[in-house]
Amino acid sequence: MKLFPTIEEVFKDPKEHYKYIFFPLLSIDLKEHNLGEGLVHFVSVWGNGDPDDELDPGNFEYNFIKFKRDGNKYVFNGKLDGIETFDKVEEWYNEALKEFQENKEDYLKTRESKEVEESALYKSLQKRNAINFDYYHYSKGLFNYWITRDKFLETEKFIQGGFYSDANSGHEREIFEQIGGEIDYDEFEYFLELLENINEVKEDKKFIGSVTGYNYIGFGEDRIHLFIDDKKNEVLVYADWS
């Protein structure tokens, strides 16, 4: 089990823009959990969540995305340019990454609540918010992801990055909600509706596990459920927005 795997560890021959859209959260070894062979990866996706968006029907929609499995890595055969901010995220990402690298020591500091609004990170994000909310929301999520990741690597404690930057709750988060076992399909009515819409059935989808997306990244999904279709050698990542 590995938190915050790299894009290269998750995707085979990843395209440059993957790192602007896909945010790896957790990799697990199926064999260690008696769920099969190989690795699978929980991934948060920027640009999902709005049922009115026309993304890539059948491959990527507001509440799911599919990946082919190639050994221990994923291959994505769909399109991402339906994401409303697709043409902007490269610039936003590279700008935020440069800022984070130049200010990393300061951005990783633990702050008291009275210090938050005086921090350079807060002021930087407010400037973005004055320009465009998506610009602000995406950048804030990036900084949160990097802070959560780097503080975990430093402390070995899985604490949401908002504790350090925004003086939010500092309790240790659960790495996953569930790995393996059964799920109650009475609580998955929208998932069953999704399968019906894409002409698939739950019997072909082996439940692997669930994680809380926003524990890892500020704009993360409420819950991310991962299913494997062994017949298609495919992973379905289902986003549950509560």
Side-chain angles (χ1 to χ4, degrees):
M1 186 173 295
K2 181 177 183 178
L3 280 75
F4 302 106
T6 66
I7 283 284
E8 291 75 18
E9 289 173 319
V10 172
F11 291 97
K12 181 177 181 180
D13 301 323
K15 297 178 181 178
E16 178 68 16
H17 63 264
Y18 283 11
K19 65 183 179 183
Y20 314 138
I21 303 294
F22 297 136
F23 296 91
L25 309 181
L26 178 69
S27 298
I28 65 169
D29 185 337
L30 295 175
K31 189 174 183 179
E32 292 294 322
H33 300 275
N34 297 313
L35 292 170
E37 297 289 336
L39 304 181
V40 292
H41 316 277
F42 291 87
V43 177
S44 183
V45 183
W46 166 258
N48 57 6
D50 187 343
D52 293 328
D53 285 347
E54 289 289 335
L55 296 171
D56 185 14
N59 286 308
F60 171 40
E61 299 183 37
Y62 83 98
N63 61 350
F64 81 95
I65 192 164
K66 290 180 176 180
F67 301 108
K68 288 291 185 181
R69 297 180 70 198
D70 188 330
N72 289 324
K73 297 185 178 184
Y74 288 172
V75 174
F76 179 61
N77 291 324
K79 299 182 297 182
L80 296 171
D81 56 5
I83 295 172
E84 185 176 355
T85 56
F86 182 77
D87 292 335
K88 302 174 183 176
V89 289
E90 178 179 2
E91 178 183 353
W92 293 351
Y93 181 97
N94 289 325
E95 177 193 71
L97 181 60
K98 182 175 184 292
E99 179 180 328
F100 182 72
Q101 291 172 336
E102 291 176 349
N103 299 278
K104 186 172 180 178
E105 183 177 351
D106 180 58
Y107 284 12
L108 292 178
K109 287 181 180 177
T110 305
R111 305 189 189 284
E112 301 291 337
S113 57
K114 62 184 179 181
E115 300 173 319
V116 170
E117 293 188 8
E118 295 303 316
S119 69
L121 176 57
Y122 179 87
K123 292 176 180 178
S124 175
L125 287 169
Q126 289 309 306
K127 289 179 181 178
R128 290 176 171 89
N129 197 23
I131 297 170
N132 178 278
F133 176 77
D134 285 331
Y135 179 30
Y136 159 81
H137 186 50
Y138 180 75
S139 302
K140 184 175 176 62
L142 289 179
F143 290 127
N144 178 261
Y145 179 71
W146 294 329
I147 292 169
T148 306
R149 177 197 66 193
D150 288 2
K151 293 302 290 189
F152 171 74
L153 295 174
E154 174 191 328
T155 66
E156 297 186 349
K157 293 182 178 180
F158 183 39
I159 296 173
Q160 224 293 329
F163 167 66
Y164 305 100
S165 60
D166 298 319
N168 294 337
S169 173
H171 68 280
E172 290 191 56
R173 303 298 176 106
E174 296 293 340
I175 292 172
F176 56 83
E177 291 188 15
Q178 181 179 347
I179 298 294
E182 301 294 326
I183 57 174
D184 182 356
Y185 279 101
D186 289 338
E187 299 179 2
F188 279 72
E189 59 178 308
Y190 294 115
F191 176 70
L192 296 178
E193 182 179 300
L194 161 65
L195 294 182
E196 183 177 352
N197 289 339
I198 60 177
N199 298 311
E200 299 189 21
V201 294
K202 72 179 191 302
E203 287 76 18
D204 290 339
K205 308 298 179 186
K206 179 169 64 177
F207 173 70
I208 299 300
S210 307
V211 304
T212 301
Y214 59 74
N215 281 349
Y216 290 81
I217 184 168
F219 55 62
E221 300 86 342
D222 293 344
R223 290 191 298 169
I224 299 171
H225 308 286
L226 194 150
F227 297 83
I228 286 180
D229 187 322
D230 287 322
K231 293 180 181 178
K232 295 183 177 181
N233 198 29
E234 186 176 77
V235 164
L236 187 150
V237 179
Y238 173 65
D240 185 358
W241 301 95
S242 55

